[in-house]
Amino acid sequence: MSSVAATADSAGHDHDHGHHAHVDDHLALLKAVPFWSTDHKVIGIQFLLTTLVMMMVGGALALGVRWQLAFPWENMPIIGAFFPASAGGQVTPEFYTMLFTMHATVMIFLVIIPVLAGAFGNFLIPLMIGADDMAFPLLNALSFWVMLPAIFFFGMSFVWNDGWGPNAGPGAGWTSYPALSAIKAAAPGSGWAQFWWLMGVTCVGFSSMMGSINYMTTIINMRAPGMTLLRMPLTIWGMFITAVLQAFALPVLTAAGFMLVADRTLGTCFFIPSGLVVNNAAPTVGGGQTLLWQHLFWFYSHPAVYIMVLPAMGMVSDMLACMSRKPIFGYKPMVYSLAAIAGLGFIVWGHHMFISGMNPALGMTFMISTIMIALPSAVKVFNWIGTIWGGKPEFNVIFLNCVAFVSMFIVGGLSGIFMAAVPVDIYIHDTYFIVAHFHYVLFGSTLFAVFGAIHFWYPKMFGRFMSEGWGKLHFFLTFIGFNGTFFPMHLLGVAGMPRRYADPYLYPYLEHLLPLNQFMTVSAAVMGFAQFILIGNFIFSLFSSRKAGRNPWNANGLEWHAPSPPGHGNFDIPAVVYRGPYEYSSPEHDSDYWPQAEVPKPVVEHESETTPKIAPA
Amino acid sequence: MKWFWCLFFAFWPTLTVALCLASPGLGWWFPGEAASPLGQRIDDLFYLILIICTIAFIGTQAGLAYVLFRGAYDTEPEAVTKKAWHSHGSHELEVIWSVIPAIVLLFIAFYQMDVWAEYRVKSAFPRDKMETALKRVNQKRTTKDSLALAEVTARQFEWLIRYPGFNDDGTLKPLMKDPQPTDLYAVNDLHLPASAPVMINLRTMDVQHSFFLPELRIKQDAVPGLTIPIWLEANKQQTYQLLCAELCGWGHYKMKARFVAESDENFIEYLRQLEREQNEDRVDDEPEPSDE
């Protein structure tokens, strides 16, 4: 770990010899990917590739769910042959519960959290604050490698459940409420599969924790000279606040996970009340309380929702400002609202439990705190719109994805108000309205931000552009498929269709929803196959697309001060920060961008205000 | 191409609003009018939030569309030499767009309190009306006895229902906390008097379930180890659907039952019939050839 002053020196000079050999070799980073490396950029790319693969896996699981809802009990075509337990590939109810459980698990724990914090956090934080690496490079590498046992454990839960079998799998949902998850006899997937699942979650927790410690330390200690807190790009603010959230909330989930494992293996009874008769077995011993799990679980998993969106909000702010050639509208309110969302995020977990039987007085307090979260979210939306206002946007893939982020976040944010209002939540809780809401926030917002971010920082990662045409096609199909899949879910929810039903058409009042479900499944398939375009574009652009210089988007951030791709140690010219990251179209400057590290001209009158105390080496 | 994208982003919100307007006509909306007074108030709150959110939705999406169109104009060739508007924001605007949503949101929050309290807070239950309903079905109870008329116990994957039995004088007993020899049982078939608030106790025998009456807009989790009182009031004498809303294992989707709201007389007659069926040992039965 280097001190701030040392960073500026060593970043440029100590590693200089290595740089020039690497700068022209755009595949240098990729070549290093499969191997052990403690370089934050390699780890970031390792995370990115892993999460992209996992996104395809999670999407495939979702398509299984959608297949069953559109064509209940019909054999899955083609891939059905891989499920010999159910003749012809029928989605049995056991398999169905496993499909949605693992879809959520994979998407949350192996895609969204690691793609934001792991991939972009790792790649961007040192570059954007002007550090040569993370504070703890070894810990950083471990945070990636601990993901692999997690993937292994989740994989085991697919195939090993009291014996090998294609229909194994945890079936308690990603929330894993006891007693379903605590008592082995409670469900076909409550045996070993549940145990593997818990191990996987614990490993992911370790990974996040290592990242979180690293990010906090790096951001606090290793900023380049002149990079004050209020000159940090919003991406860094998003990552920083996320890291703080993780550091405080995650231990609670890990502890709860250990308690559940103890309940299952050591005979403790944290979560199992006495006297239950499960699956005709004798009454359980107990004295525990299942609500305890819900409190502990949501104490982490609600803040986790913000862990899954705050970095995306930061990245979108940076991209929108750059693409609109305008300073971010209201930088300080943006920072404060990030902090407010995180702060409120800690006192709203109970809104997942309005109808769980907890004290109704808590329902009221949680309702107020939850509804108030809409306030900083609204401030952010207004500021994003204000950022484009009067701008000169370039309608490229990045900008389109960012606008989609804002547009979809509005839908997801507004639908959140419905479930924050407790009486309305009585009805829509556990219906598809909830599913619609969180897909709008997590896919509609976060993933569009990630798609934009991939296109935006790809030149920095590999020194080449991604294809614009394919990118737009991917965006177009994804956006249409996304809205076709998830918007009708609001209507299903209002119609009272419960979540996690293998066959809702068993109920007469839901029968007429079948055609709508079929439409949604077709949309989901379109969206799913559109992701192959992204993957293809990602891979082929490595070899065949235009080369990018240091600063292909004429952006201001420090990361564009480094070569593309940056060599080991990041900066060949020491980075010193003279101004905030959003000085676009400034009348005081000739070009419409003004990089943070550009040395001010001596004639500029306001220089004394902006010159940092520490002079460049 | 940029005009295409401007229209693209303006088109989707428009389609969304249109779809929502068309949905009730297409049947993609609530399963009928709320069949209980509380449910109607929940619906009213839903519509209130829907109106507020629709205004916010149209406002923000229109704002987004406007800045996109504006931005597209500003990148036309004749405007290219001009720089974009250099503005770091506006303090006044920030205050305005923080305070107004804050007021609206607090209004939404406080406006909901009553309904929530009435639904879940025991002291706000319509006690008097429940007592009247219990008198009408001729239940003999002291003030200490439960107001509940039935106990619903969820288990994988069915609903067990326990009613109190009858006294020798023909009156209905109060529902005891623990099962009594005279209790009456049914599975997946909940009968209660209509047009009056009645209370039931909700329990679960194994994992967590959730008692969901979509037409009445009532939902309550059944939590292992807890007995949760819920009250409901069906407007009409009718059969309603009863579902499980909380994942309870692989058979979650088939935890199907019905809730029959009927007249007081029919309810008592139903309990009498349960009593006859349960006490019938068939020892004295004449063999009936047609039965076998």
Side-chain angles (χ1 to χ4, degrees):
Chain A
M1 194 181 119
S2 4
S3 71
V4 176
T7 308
D9 283 326
S10 63
H13 306 300
D14 290 0
H15 306 282
D16 230 359
H17 313 292
H19 281 181
H20 301 293
H22 285 280
V23 169
D24 292 327
D25 185 358
H26 64 278
L27 291 179
L29 282 173
L30 193 71
K31 281 178 188 157
V33 164
F35 304 110
W36 169 265
S37 168
T38 54
D39 187 337
H40 72 97
K41 301 179 290 297
V42 176
I43 297 165
I45 292 166
Q46 283 171 329
F47 264 116
L48 184 60
L49 297 178
T50 314
T51 50
L52 284 178
V53 172
M54 284 298 134
M55 182 182 79
M56 303 306 273
V57 173
L61 293 166
L63 286 180
V65 173
R66 291 285 355 146
W67 172 264
Q68 169 71 4
L69 288 173
F71 311 102
W73 314 122
E74 283 180 32
N75 294 339
M76 274 192 284
I78 308 165
I79 54 165
F82 294 104
F83 302 108
S86 49
Q90 195 190 49
V91 181
T92 59
E94 296 90 328
F95 187 51
Y96 183 84
T97 57
M98 172 213 167
L99 278 175
F100 64 69
T101 301
M102 290 313 287
H103 164 64
T105 306
V106 167
M107 284 303 195
I108 290 168
F109 292 117
L110 298 181
V111 179
I112 298 181
I113 293 180
V115 81
L116 290 176
F120 288 104
N122 263 314
F123 189 84
L124 293 176
I125 287 174
L127 278 171
M128 289 180 104
I129 63 169
D132 56 349
D133 202 336
M134 286 284 179
F136 311 115
L138 184 63
L139 198 62
N140 202 17
L142 279 177
S143 82
F144 173 73
W145 291 103
V146 167
M147 283 276 288
L148 298 190
I151 293 170
F152 170 75
F153 286 136
F154 286 137
M156 280 302 277
S157 74
F158 272 90
V159 292
W160 175 267
N161 180 41
D162 309 321
W164 298 94
N167 256 351
W174 85 279
T175 54
S176 277
Y177 283 180
L180 197 58
S181 59
I183 299 172
K184 283 178 191 162
S190 293
W192 275 96
Q194 191 65 38
F195 177 80
W196 294 122
W197 185 89
L198 280 163
M199 289 291 105
V201 171
T202 309
C203 275
V204 172
F206 281 129
S207 163
S208 295
M209 203 61 186
M210 292 180 204
S212 155
I213 294 164
N214 238 329
Y215 299 168
M216 287 193 291
T217 316
T218 308
I219 293 172
I220 291 172
N221 272 349
M222 295 178 68
R223 280 169 285 133
M227 179 62 92
T228 60
L229 283 179
L230 287 178
R231 277 182 187 169
M232 293 200 308
L234 287 167
T235 302
I236 300 300
W237 270 112
M239 299 285 180
F240 179 64
I241 290 172
T242 296
V244 175
L245 271 180
Q246 270 178 336
F248 283 95
L250 193 60
V252 178
L253 179 73
T254 312
F258 279 122
M259 286 155 83
L260 190 52
V261 170
D263 271 10
R264 298 172 52 85
T265 53
L266 303 179
T268 59
C269 294
F270 291 110
F271 304 121
I272 308 171
S274 42
L276 300 185
V277 184
V278 179
N279 205 358
N280 294 323
T284 60
V285 288
Q289 173 55 275
T290 56
L291 278 183
L292 174 62
W293 169 267
Q294 295 189 28
H295 280 293
L296 296 177
F297 178 84
W298 288 117
F299 187 80
Y300 167 74
S301 293
H302 192 78
V305 173
Y306 304 112
I307 290 168
M308 289 183 259
V309 78
L310 290 182
M313 288 174 162
M315 296 194 299
V316 163
S317 306
D318 280 359
M319 290 187 277
L320 269 185
C322 175
M323 290 304 144
S324 305
R325 316 310 298 163
K326 264 201 67 194
I328 195 84
F329 198 90
Y331 173 82
K332 278 187 187 172
M334 289 300 251
V335 175
Y336 298 151
S337 58
L338 280 175
I341 290 173
L344 285 169
F346 269 112
I347 53 168
V348 299
W349 78 89
H351 68 221
H352 297 267
M353 301 166 61
F354 283 150
I355 60 156
S356 70
M358 70 173 175
N359 186 332
L362 289 178
M364 298 192 182
T365 51
F366 279 125
M367 168 163 67
I368 293 174
S369 56
T370 303
I371 284 190
M372 289 326 284
I373 269 200
L375 182 59
S377 311
V379 169
K380 296 198 83 67
V381 168
F382 296 139
N383 278 314
W384 284 318
I385 295 175
T387 303
I388 310 174
W389 181 23
K392 298 170 64 156
E394 186 182 342
F395 285 75
N396 58 12
V397 185
I398 302 157
F399 184 71
L400 295 176
N401 276 297
C402 291
V403 174
F405 170 96
V406 177
S407 181
M408 297 298 102
F409 183 74
I410 292 171
V411 181
L414 289 174
S415 63
I417 296 177
F418 287 85
M419 52 206 64
V422 218
V424 178
D425 186 68
I426 296 170
Y427 177 65
I428 59 177
H429 194 93
D430 275 322
T431 67
Y432 262 84
F433 201 92
I434 310 282
V435 185
H437 162 73
F438 66 69
H439 278 96
Y440 263 89
V441 177
L442 293 185
F443 190 125
S445 317
T446 304
L447 275 186
F448 278 118
V450 166
F451 295 150
I454 289 175
H455 287 86
F456 188 65
W457 280 293
Y458 190 91
K460 188 49 65 185
M461 288 178 182
F462 303 109
R464 286 181 183 246
F465 289 97
M466 278 176 83
S467 155
E468 183 73 16
W470 288 110
K472 278 183 176 159
L473 183 66
H474 165 253
F475 168 75
F476 183 76
L477 292 176
T478 307
F479 191 87
I480 291 179
F482 167 78
N483 279 292
T485 308
F486 296 111
F487 193 79
M489 283 189 184
H490 291 109
L491 304 174
L492 296 185
V494 177
M497 178 169 153
R499 293 165 77 173
R500 296 161 169 169
Y501 265 30
D503 185 4
Y505 316 108
L506 204 61
Y507 300 85
Y509 82 105
L510 298 172
E511 271 171 359
H512 66 286
L513 298 173
L514 181 64
L516 195 58
N517 270 305
Q518 287 171 337
F519 171 77
M520 291 156 67
T521 298
V522 173
S523 303
V526 169
M527 178 169 68
F529 285 106
Q531 304 319 307
F532 285 105
I533 300 176
L534 177 78
I535 304 274
N537 192 356
F538 192 97
I539 294 168
F540 286 114
S541 297
L542 287 174
F543 306 103
S544 62
S545 66
R546 262 182 321 130
K547 289 201 174 179
R550 272 179 196 242
N551 192 355
W553 311 114
N554 291 339
N556 287 345
L558 275 193
E559 75 270 34
W560 308 106
H561 182 66
S564 304
H568 189 64
N570 291 347
F571 295 97
D572 48 359
I573 310 161
V576 178
V577 177
Y578 296 96
R579 59 191 68 80
Y582 301 112
E583 295 301 321
Y584 291 103
S585 300
S586 167
E588 296 171 30
H589 197 255
D590 305 334
S591 58
D592 71 344
Y593 67 109
W594 202 358
Q596 285 188 281
E598 191 181 299
V599 183
K601 287 179 201 153
V603 289
V604 175
E605 281 174 17
H606 305 286
E607 193 204 1
S608 56
E609 285 171 20
T610 48
T611 311
K613 297 276 181 282
I614 308 165
Chain B
M1 198 62 183
K2 65 190 173 195
W3 293 106
F4 170 79
W5 291 114
C6 281
L7 288 171
F8 182 79
F9 281 114
F11 171 71
W12 289 98
T14 318
L15 183 70
T16 306
V17 174
L19 181 65
C20 283
L21 287 174
S23 287
L26 294 164
W28 300 331
W29 207 243
F30 287 114
E33 269 187 38
S36 70
L38 196 74
Q40 280 160 3
R41 294 177 61 188
I42 291 176
D43 281 8
D44 292 343
L45 293 175
F46 175 87
Y47 283 114
L48 174 79
I49 299 177
L50 185 65
I51 290 166
I52 294 174
C53 284
T54 307
I55 294 168
F57 176 74
I58 293 174
T60 39
Q61 296 283 2
L64 187 62
Y66 170 76
V67 296
L68 285 181
F69 278 109
R70 239 357 280 178
Y73 275 115
D74 286 347
T75 48
E76 292 290 349
E78 59 268 25
V80 156
T81 49
K82 216 177 86 217
K83 274 187 183 178
W85 178 34
H86 182 76
S87 162
H88 282 282
S90 149
H91 185 71
E92 288 75 26
L93 273 178
E94 301 287 350
V95 172
I96 291 170
W97 66 39
S98 307
V99 170
I100 293 177
I103 293 170
V104 173
L105 290 167
L106 279 176
F107 164 74
I108 291 178
F110 285 103
Y111 195 71
Q112 317 270 326
M113 293 273 183
D114 288 352
V115 179
W116 172 243
E118 205 170 310
Y119 174 66
R120 272 288 283 139
V121 180
K122 258 186 182 170
S123 56
F125 280 10
R127 258 191 119 74
D128 297 342
K129 285 187 186 170
M130 285 186 205
E131 306 238 11
T132 323
L134 293 180
K135 264 187 207 121
R136 287 213 313 259
V137 292
N138 210 7
Q139 190 181 52
K140 219 181 208 174
R141 52 183 282 281
T142 64
T143 46
K144 281 183 188 169
D145 287 325
S146 166
L147 278 165
L149 204 44
E151 180 190 75
V152 177
T153 304
R155 56 170 275 175
Q156 292 172 327
F157 299 100
E158 61 189 12
W159 303 91
L160 302 176
I161 293 137
R162 179 167 72 90
Y163 303 98
F166 291 95
N167 288 313
D168 293 337
D169 61 359
T171 54
L172 198 59
K173 288 184 174 181
L175 185 77
M176 292 294 166
K177 193 165 163 280
D178 299 312
Q180 305 293 311
T182 50
D183 280 346
L184 305 167
Y185 293 89
V187 174
N188 287 342
D189 196 6
L190 174 65
H191 286 245
L192 289 172
S195 307
V198 283
M199 198 173 99
I200 58 172
N201 284 332
L202 186 62
R203 296 179 60 231
T204 170
M205 194 184 272
D206 40 39
V207 300
Q208 196 166 327
H209 301 269
S210 189
F211 179 89
F212 182 27
L213 292 167
E215 290 130 313
L216 275 72
R217 319 283 191 259
I218 277 185
K219 191 181 289 143
Q220 177 60 54
D221 282 1
V223 183
L226 297 184
T227 302
I228 299 172
I230 49 179
W231 69 274
L232 44 100
E233 178 179 2
N235 281 346
K236 276 186 277 183
Q237 297 180 17
Q238 194 186 317
T239 303
Y240 301 99
Q241 327 235 5
L242 170 56
L243 295 75
C244 177
E246 184 63 74
L247 179 66
C248 57
W250 65 274
H252 171 48
Y253 69 100
K254 60 175 187 178
M255 230 171 123
K256 183 182 179 180
R258 63 176 191 160
F259 162 48
V260 182
E262 54 195 0
S263 67
D264 300 340
E265 299 77 41
N266 286 359
F267 173 65
I268 293 297
E269 179 46 40
Y270 172 74
L271 291 189
R272 285 282 176 204
Q273 190 195 329
L274 280 184
E275 187 186 36
R276 281 196 295 277
E277 281 168 11
Q278 264 163 230
N279 295 340
E280 182 58 77
D281 57 11
R282 297 180 79 88
V283 169
D284 297 332
D285 270 11
E286 294 288 320
E288 289 177 38
S290 60
D291 253 22
E292 298 305 313

